[in-house]
Structures are given as C-alpha cells and as structure tokens.
Amino acid sequence: MILLILGLETWPAYFKMFQNIVHIAADYPYESVPEAINPKYSKICRPTHKDHSLGIFYGENPLEYSFTVMLFEIVFVILTTWIVRFLLKPLKQPRVISEIIGGIIIGPSILGRNKKFTAEFFPDNAQFVLKNLGIMGFMFFLFLAGVKMDMTYVRRSGKKQFYIALCGVILPTVTVAIVAFVTRKYMEKDLARISSIGAISSSLAITSFPVLNPILRELNLLSSEVGRLAMSTAIISDLIGINAIIAFEAVKQGEAHHMNGVWYLISLVILMVFFFTVVRRIMKWIVHRTPEGKAVSQGYVVAILVGVMAMGFLTDMFGMAIANGPLWLGLVIPDGPPLGATLVERTETFVVHFLMPFSFAVVGLYTDVFAMGAVGWSGLAPLFAMVLTGYVSKVVGVLLSSLLYEIPFRDSLTLSLVLSLRGQVELLLFIHWIDKMIVQVPGFTLLVLSTVVMTGIATPMISLLYDPTRPYMVNKRRTIQHHPPNTELRVVVCIHDQETVAGFINLLEVSYPTLNSPLSVYALHLVELVGRGMPVFIDYDEEEENSNETPEDNIHSALKQYQESRGEFNVHAFTAMAPLQSMYQNICELALEHRATLIILPFHKEYPGNLGGTEFFRGGLHSMNVDVLGHAPCSVGILVDKGNFRNPLAGCSLQHSVHQFVVLFLGGADSREALAYADRMAGNPDVAVIVIRFLSHNYEGDNEMEKKLDDGVVTWFWVKNEANERVVYREVVVRNGAETVAAIQALNDDAYYDLWIVGRKQGINPVLLEGLADWSEDNELGIIGDYIASADFGTTSSVLVVQQQILRSRGGAPPLPPPSGVSRGKFPCISGKM
C-alpha cells in the first residue's frame, strides 16, 4: 500500500486523491510509486498523533510520539559514534572512519536490518528529520572548512606542489575514464552517461582539504614537512575539484535541455560575483569594525550562520549542490583572527560533535550491503574497477611525481597515502549522486565501503611509515657543556605571551653575552592555530614578504629594541601558528635548522608577581614542553618565572646590583649541563653563584661512569673559577630523598636567591631521590625542579630546569675533556668559598 502524510482535519478533502493513489499503486511496483505519482511526495502515510507523551504511567509508549523519538534518535546516534570511536582508537583509525561505521551500524546493514528496531526507533517519518539534520551537518562542516582554507597558498605554492597536484589528478582521472569506457556496455544507463563518468573519474582523483586537515591534525602531522606539503597540494587539488564539480553540474543540467546548462552557468556567475564582491566586502567591514585583540560581535556571528543556510537555499534553488553555497561563503571569510577564529571557536564543537553524527547516520541509512548481494557482482564490477583503478593510480601518480622532485621514497610513499585519504566531502558527493540518479543504493554502498577501506588502511600505514621526529635524531653534540669556548652560542627562545618576554630577556642578559662569545637568539612566538587550517610560520627577517600575514608583533618589536641596545645580541624573530600538540615540531625544526645549542621554554604555569601564591595554567604548554624534551636536537631549559625575574630594562637594572644564583648539582648529564650554563653566568660581574653538590652516604647507588664524568666537570669548574670571589662551592652528604629536601629547604631558609638552577633527571643517583617520587606533579621539571617551583617551597625565586641533549640514535654523552693539568680523580670535599 502507498501512503501519504495527511492531516486528520483535511481527510475528507483528500479522500478522492487517496482513491487515485490506490489505483496508481495497483499499476506500479512499490519502488516506482513515488516517482509515478510525484517525486515530491513522501512514501509514508500514518495517522498523526500528539507531539508529547503523557508518560509511561498512563500506559503510553514515548517512542510513538515524534518529539520523544527524535530525542532518543539524537542520543542514540551520538552514543553509537562515540562507542565506535572508543573501540577503534587503539587501531589508529581517524574519527571519520569511526563515524562512518557508526552510521552503518544504525542503517539497514546491521541494526536497521531488524524491521522491529527500525519501526520502533527509526520510523520513516522520523528519518525525515534525521536526514535534514545530516545535510545541515555537511553544510556547516564545509562552511567551516572554507573558513579555514587560505586560497592564497595556491599563488604562493612552488612548482613542486603544482606538479604533484596535477600529476595526482590527471593520471587517475585519465585511467579511470579509460576503464569506464572499456566497461561502459556493462553499466547501468545512468552510470554510463558521459557526465556520470566524468563526475566519478574526477572525484576519485581529487584530494579534499576538508578531509585531510582533521586527519592530519589527529595524526599530529600538520606541522611536519610531509603534512605541510600535503596540505598545500590539497588546496591546489581542491581548486581543480571545484571546477570539475561546476563542469559536471553544467553538463548534467544540460542533458535534459541545453538551455538548462546555460541558465545554470549564468546563475553561477551571478552568485560568484555576489560572493566575491558584496559578501567579501561585508566581511572585511566586520573585521575593520572589530577592535584589535577582541572577538567579533555575537550579532555578526549569528548573521553569518544564518547566511550559511541562506546560501544553501540559493544554491539548491538554482540546481547546484546544496553545499556549494556554504563552502563559497566560508572561502570569502578572512581566515584566522578575528572573524575566522571567532566563527570556528563558537561553532566547531557543535558542528563536529552534534551535527556531523547525523550526517554519518544519513550515510548509514543509505548504505545497505544486502542490496549489493541482490544486484550481484556483474552489476557492480564496472564501478568497482573504476574505484580500484582510481585509488591505485592516485598513489602511483603522487609517488612518481614526488620521486622526480627527489623526495625520499619513504616520504613520497607517505605523501601518496595522505593524498589518497577520503572522507566527508566524498560521502556528500555520493549522496548527491544518488539524488542525481547516477548511482543506486548498491553502488552507493560500494563507494562508501571503499572509502572506509582506503582510509582505514592508509591511516595506520602513514603512522608506521612516517615519524615526524626522525629529522631531529642528530648524532652531533649540541650542548653547552660541549660548546667550544669563545664562540657564538645559539639559543631558541619560545615565547608564549607578552608576560614571558621580560623574564627571558633577563635570563639572556645574565647569560653574559660578550663580543668574544655573543648570543644569537632565535625568538619564536608561539600562537595556537585557531580559525586556520594550515600552520603558518613567519620569518620576520623576510618581513617584506610576510607583511600581509599578521599585524605588528609587539613581542618581536620589544626584542628588536633590546637588541639595538646590546651589540652582543643578534635577535632573529619568528612566529609559529600551529596546533599546540604539534608545536614542538616547529620548535625542534627551528633549532635543527639554525644549529642551536639550547632551547628555552616557558613553564606551563604562570606566577603573577602582584599575586603571591597564585598560579595560572597555560593550556597545552605542558604537553608541548614534554614533547620538546623528548625530541629536541639540543639541550633544553624550562624557565619557571615567578615575577622577580621580570624587568624589561634588564641591561640597566643589573649594572649596580648582584643577583644571587644557586646551582643544585645532583649528578648526571642534566646536572653537568646546568653547571656548564652556570659557569657562563659566573663570568657576569653582576651575578654571584653558589654550587651545592649532593653526594650519597658511602657513595651508595653511584654509577661509576656517571661519577667519573661528574668529577671531571666539577673539577673543571673548580679550577676555572678558583679565583672568582663571587663563586662558592659546597658538598652535602645525604642518605635519602628526605635529607636532600631538608638540605635544600635549609638553604632556602638561610638566604634569598633570585634563580635556582637544577638538572632535570638524567643520571641522578636514585638514593638522592628515594621516597620523593610521589611528590612530583610536573614531570617536565623532574622531582627536584618540581619541588623548588612548587608553592610549598615558600619562595618567589625563579627556577631554571636544564636537560642535556639526548642522543636517541646512540648511547650516552662523551665525557668532557678536563682542562690541561687537571686530574679526573675524586674531587676533594670542600666547604665554603673556593
């Protein structure tokens, strides 16, 4: 029986129509009735009922009411995708795969196969709401993707990106088209059309930026060399893809009547002119009206989100794919702050976590593996051959073109797999093809499953093939301990915000740069990537080229101003805009490229000088610091600035005052590096240094090799500073961690020190830390560094925690040769001044 949704109060008026429907139903098969009557009619008719149930205590089933069943569907869809996401995460599967599989579970392939389940939980009249929410999810997803895209990268890309993109598109398009024409006689009528073959051939060849960006972010590859190359190549591919979609739509519109294609192109031109003139000027006007450093007004944000739906309506009205309008609107909005960042911050969570599960549920409702079995292999073989050819030729095309540009084979293979990933954009195209009658449910199911298989296999292979930290595995020592004397010391300083600048300047000042041993400072301003899809790295030495990238940077202006007052400094300013989880790659790459000896990081807690005992957390910096400590190609220092170490006029303030520094030497590579840094500071006439060496009772727990290396460095430091009255050395013998802490606390009670310097953890005798492991909260500082930096220590002194470079490709550090005439034997116990 064929039914039509009608209101009860209008039943008599439609009675005659109902009779006609029954007569038509007798003449047509069930599947063809909607098209025979009118494609706009629904297939379902059932009596209407109240929206809200009176409750189960009245004997009513809440699932028989439209509003309650819709609420259940929302919860069920989101929970299903979350569960699948949780189960597949250990397998390195991206979020998109989990959500596709979650949608398939809901659909007729699994749970929907049970007619009772479908009738109770996903009745046909409720699916109408579900599908419309899903289409809205795709609309807003592509809108946000358009906001994050920066099409100017097409102009700035080099020949490498252009040729890889062209080869990666042309080769699969041509090969798929050849396979399609060879198997054309076995295809269904709609699939065999020229427009259909062109649409499928081009879609299998094009790499989509909106798909790659979230997957690379999940894999933590956005800031890697392969990730940046893939994203810039994908933008070029998207530009080709937009033109291919326009051509397909024009041909499809003209199949019925050639004037339809002409009117389509005319309406397209009008819309594009409207977008890139009127709408773009409005967006620039909004940016101009927004005060610097402030978010865009909520009213403008709401108006733009309403505009997303309006543009979807217009493109659908003109016969274009409904997502075109939202995508184009996103493209004309300036990415990054203030407008792009505000839109992404306020809408992305809702779109990704609430609307998109419905989009994948729509995909799942269309996906039916049993329909594939009903059609058989012969009906799906031509489409399968096109899909397989497209994926293989895509990988081969990108691989060969990458090798031609002398990209290593492993990286070339990784890039080819990255550019073969498929996701949300392709799924939306598949749904569009169903609407255009290019494919039926069996073909749609094949396309969806091929997307799952390709992306599901490629993603873990990318993780296995490519390690973004591999370039940082250097064999050459880049430490302060092994740095040649009277040579330039290169330091990378990572600045999170303006509050950290003064503390870093003071630290560099007390590092005693001289004309014989100058400091070359690479100041990297860290900015979290918001409202942009691609990381941005700005070198201010090339400011003319990048003057349009960002507004004036006050942080780098302050550093340049300080450089002008000190000839021993050479400051190079940079800005890195990237996700915090991949920011360490920018830091390590900068240190590697400029052969830095030391990276100085800000601690992830901030201690305002005017609010004693108050801590502010800098979100994301903790994990970034840990990643830098694990992968840095040189030594690393973490500065815990508690306020007393902040004076932007450091060069003037230290001339007539002596700062008291203390070094806690607990042994091991990190302590040796801390002592080597303190030795450089000891040359500063405005700095007094006291070194406290901790030894275990009866040398219990000592590592003989580490002990010899420690004795050699301490002996070298003793001989070099023997005549320096501002340097004091003492030794303390302890039995366990409690005595170590007690000795440190007694030192703090006796005098005030401006800066505490301590090694992080490498090589420390475990006896010196016995019983302290449970006290540590911040593993980035080590146990002793965490204790000194904590509020329980009761001081406003700043702390510098030092880690010597870790050579991950080979064993420990080679010993530092002692000065001539100095033995490496046991250092004598000394108390007091050297």
Side-chain angles (χ1 to χ4, degrees):
M1 179 181 290
I2 302 303
L3 301 172
L4 187 68
I5 298 178
L6 302 172
L8 294 177
E9 66 278 2
T10 59
W11 181 265
Y14 287 101
F15 181 72
K16 187 174 181 179
M17 182 187 294
F18 212 65
Q19 288 180 317
N20 294 334
I21 293 173
V22 173
H23 289 302
I24 294 174
D27 297 330
Y28 292 93
Y30 174 80
E31 291 79 3
S32 62
V33 171
E35 290 76 13
I37 304 169
N38 191 322
K40 295 184 290 184
Y41 288 141
S42 174
K43 296 180 182 180
I44 304 303
C45 177
R46 64 176 70 224
T48 59
H49 44 63
K50 296 179 181 179
D51 291 337
H52 302 281
S53 167
L54 295 176
I56 58 174
F57 300 109
Y58 286 85
E60 294 184 344
N61 181 2
L63 295 179
E64 293 180 354
Y65 293 83
S66 57
F67 184 74
T68 50
V69 76
M70 184 189 72
L71 293 178
F72 175 83
E73 287 176 353
I74 292 173
V75 174
F76 187 82
V77 167
I78 294 176
L79 284 180
T80 302
T81 55
W82 282 358
I83 292 172
V84 176
R85 169 75 174 149
F86 174 77
L87 295 176
L88 294 184
K89 196 170 183 179
L91 301 179
K92 304 293 184 181
Q93 292 301 314
R95 182 187 189 93
V96 63
I97 294 298
S98 304
E99 293 185 316
I100 294 174
I101 294 176
I104 292 175
I105 291 174
I106 296 170
S109 298
I110 302 180
L111 294 179
R113 188 69 177 169
N114 188 313
K115 294 183 179 179
K116 186 175 181 181
F117 171 86
T118 303
E120 288 290 334
F121 301 115
F122 288 91
D124 299 301
N125 59 345
Q127 287 186 21
F128 172 80
V129 177
L130 187 71
K131 291 178 179 179
N132 280 281
L133 285 174
I135 298 301
M136 286 185 63
F138 279 123
M139 287 173 53
F140 280 97
F141 172 80
L142 287 179
F143 165 72
L144 291 177
V147 172
K148 295 177 182 179
M149 289 177 67
D150 184 0
M151 298 304 291
T152 60
Y153 272 90
V154 176
R155 174 172 49 84
R156 298 199 299 268
S157 297
K159 291 183 179 180
K160 182 195 301 183
Q161 289 88 340
F162 272 106
Y163 284 116
I164 291 176
L166 288 175
C167 189
V169 170
I170 293 174
L171 181 61
T173 300
V174 172
T175 53
V176 172
I178 292 173
V179 171
F181 281 107
V182 170
T183 60
R184 190 179 183 189
K185 61 182 178 180
Y186 304 106
M187 295 179 183
E188 296 178 354
K189 180 181 177 181
D190 292 320
L191 183 60
R193 296 179 186 272
I194 299 296
S195 61
S196 302
I197 293 175
I200 294 177
S201 300
S202 59
S203 68
L204 291 174
I206 293 167
T207 302
S208 175
F209 175 93
V211 173
L212 288 193
N213 184 262
I215 295 179
L216 290 179
R217 186 183 285 264
E218 286 185 62
L219 295 176
N220 207 11
L221 295 179
L222 271 185
S223 298
S224 66
E225 184 178 356
V226 169
R228 293 194 301 267
L229 180 59
M231 295 305 296
S232 56
T233 304
I235 289 182
I236 300 173
S237 180
D238 270 349
L239 186 61
I240 301 172
I242 291 174
N243 292 312
I245 291 174
I246 291 173
F248 159 71
E249 293 288 351
V251 173
K252 195 68 179 177
Q253 292 276 354
E255 284 180 346
H257 194 281
H258 65 277
M259 284 304 298
N260 291 349
V262 174
W263 284 115
Y264 167 81
L265 292 176
I266 292 174
S267 62
L268 175 67
V269 170
I270 294 173
L271 272 180
M272 296 294 283
V273 170
F274 174 71
F275 272 115
F276 289 96
T277 55
V278 178
V279 176
R280 187 165 184 82
R281 289 183 180 179
I282 292 174
M283 299 305 162
K284 289 184 177 179
W285 177 80
I286 293 174
V287 172
H288 181 71
R289 285 183 56 88
T290 304
E292 186 176 352
K294 301 293 184 181
V296 175
S297 172
Q298 183 73 15
Y300 294 137
V301 174
V302 174
I304 292 172
L305 296 180
V306 172
V308 173
M309 293 181 280
M311 295 308 170
F313 170 79
L314 288 176
T315 50
D316 194 48
M317 181 178 70
F318 289 126
M320 308 174 196
I322 196 170
N324 281 336
L327 176 62
W328 297 339
L329 178 61
L331 288 175
V332 300
I333 293 175
D335 62 329
L339 185 54
T342 302
L343 285 169
V344 172
E345 284 180 332
R346 296 185 182 179
T347 60
E348 188 170 37
T349 299
F350 178 79
V351 171
V352 172
H353 296 280
F354 185 82
L355 284 181
M356 285 307 293
F358 293 99
S359 303
F360 292 104
V362 172
V363 174
L365 291 175
Y366 278 117
T367 305
D368 188 353
V369 294
F370 296 98
M372 294 176 62
V375 171
W377 171 250
S378 59
L380 295 174
L383 182 60
F384 177 77
M386 294 171 66
V387 170
L388 183 61
T389 303
Y391 287 149
V392 173
S393 58
K394 178 73 174 181
V395 172
V396 172
V398 175
L399 178 62
L400 293 178
S401 57
S402 301
L403 292 174
L404 288 176
Y405 277 93
E406 299 181 351
I407 299 176
F409 177 81
R410 198 180 185 97
D411 293 353
S412 298
L413 181 58
T414 302
L415 181 62
S416 64
L417 291 173
V418 169
L419 295 179
S420 300
L421 296 173
R422 296 293 180 263
Q424 297 91 333
V425 175
E426 287 74 24
L427 296 176
L428 183 58
L429 281 175
F430 301 158
I431 294 175
H432 185 57
W433 292 347
I434 278 192
D435 293 338
K436 296 291 184 180
M437 305 297 292
I438 294 176
V439 295
Q440 304 299 324
V441 170
F444 176 88
T445 304
L446 173 64
L447 292 170
V448 171
L449 294 181
S450 68
T451 299
V452 173
V453 171
M454 182 62 197
T455 305
I457 292 176
T459 305
M461 286 185 64
I462 292 169
S463 299
L464 292 174
L465 285 171
Y466 186 70
D467 179 8
T469 67
R470 189 172 65 246
Y472 319 138
M473 299 180 186
V474 296
N475 293 323
K476 185 176 181 180
R477 274 296 188 188
R478 293 178 180 173
T479 69
I480 300 175
Q481 179 188 350
H482 303 89
H483 186 74
N486 298 324
T487 58
E488 181 185 56
L489 182 67
R490 300 184 177 188
V491 181
V492 173
V493 176
C494 300
I495 301 171
H496 182 258
D497 49 33
Q498 295 188 25
E499 286 72 19
T500 60
V501 175
F504 282 133
I505 289 178
N506 272 13
L507 180 62
L508 296 173
E509 176 68 24
V510 298
S511 300
Y512 198 47
T514 63
L515 292 178
N516 292 329
S517 181
L519 278 179
S520 187
V521 179
Y522 300 88
L524 181 61
H525 184 196
L526 309 177
V527 181
E528 185 176 5
L529 187 70
V530 180
R532 285 189 174 96
M534 289 190 64
V536 177
F537 190 84
I538 304 172
D539 183 351
Y540 285 85
D541 290 340
E542 303 174 359
E543 188 172 358
E544 291 183 359
E545 294 184 15
N546 296 297
S547 58
N548 295 326
E549 296 272 0
T550 58
E552 180 72 14
D553 195 326
N554 295 328
I555 293 176
H556 294 135
S557 298
L559 291 170
K560 287 292 184 182
Q561 184 178 3
Y562 180 68
Q563 176 189 5
E564 294 174 358
S565 65
R566 295 296 309 274
E568 303 87 357
F569 277 94
N570 187 14
V571 178
H572 306 274
F574 304 87
T575 291
M577 300 181 187
L580 285 177
Q581 64 266 29
S582 62
M583 190 80 76
Y584 76 96
Q585 296 173 15
N586 297 96
I587 299 171
C588 295
E589 185 174 348
L590 183 65
L592 180 68
E593 180 180 353
H594 295 282
R595 301 186 302 278
T597 302
L598 179 67
I599 298 172
I600 302 178
L601 302 169
F603 189 47
H604 73 273
K605 294 178 183 178
E606 183 180 351
Y607 301 87
N610 58 340
L611 298 174
T614 304
E615 297 178 350
F616 291 123
F617 289 86
R618 301 186 183 109
L621 284 189
H622 175 72
S623 59
M624 184 198 75
N625 288 353
V626 172
D627 287 332
V628 173
L629 289 167
H631 304 293
C634 60
S635 296
V636 181
I638 299 179
L639 177 62
V640 184
D641 184 9
K642 292 194 175 182
N644 64 320
F645 214 49
R646 301 176 185 169
N647 190 336
L649 301 176
C652 302
S653 64
L654 294 176
Q655 290 179 353
H656 304 290
S657 62
V658 176
H659 281 227
Q660 300 288 336
F661 295 171
V662 59
V663 179
L664 302 180
F665 190 95
L666 284 83
D670 294 347
S671 290
R672 295 192 292 271
E673 188 73 359
L675 186 61
Y677 195 10
D679 172 70
R680 186 180 181 96
M681 296 178 179
N684 193 324
D686 300 317
V687 172
V689 178
I690 178 172
V691 179
I692 307 297
R693 185 182 185 185
F694 290 84
L695 299 170
S696 64
H697 182 66
N698 291 331
Y699 306 110
E700 181 182 353
D702 278 348
N703 180 294
E704 290 299 324
M705 178 59 70
E706 290 290 341
K707 184 68 166 52
K708 290 180 179 179
L709 294 174
D710 292 343
D711 289 342
V713 172
V714 172
T715 303
W716 162 77
F717 178 82
W718 167 43
V719 171
K720 183 178 179 181
N721 294 282
E722 186 176 10
N724 191 339
E725 295 182 354
R726 291 173 288 99
V727 177
V728 176
Y729 175 87
R730 294 193 180 99
E731 290 183 352
V732 176
V733 178
V734 296
R735 299 173 183 270
N736 50 45
E739 292 188 4
T740 301
V741 169
I744 296 173
Q745 188 63 58
L747 187 67
N748 182 48
D749 295 338
D750 290 342
Y752 177 83
Y753 298 97
D754 299 286
L755 180 68
W756 294 71
I757 305 173
V758 62
R760 183 168 174 255
K761 66 178 183 180
Q762 289 185 88
I764 297 179
N765 185 338
V767 173
L768 303 180
L769 305 177
E770 185 179 348
L772 301 180
D774 295 336
W775 293 10
S776 180
E777 295 180 356
D778 297 306
N779 58 348
E780 64 188 285
L781 299 181
I783 295 177
I784 299 299
D786 183 28
Y787 171 69
I788 301 171
S790 67
D792 296 336
F793 190 54
T795 181
T796 58
S797 304
S798 296
V799 181
L800 179 65
V801 177
V802 181
Q803 173 185 281
Q804 191 174 78
Q805 175 197 16
I806 300 174
L807 294 179
R808 293 186 293 161
S809 57
R810 64 178 186 178
L816 178 71
S820 177
V822 178
S823 165
R824 275 193 187 173
K826 186 185 297 183
F827 187 78
C829 183
I830 297 177
S831 178
K833 189 179 83 67
M834 296 181 67

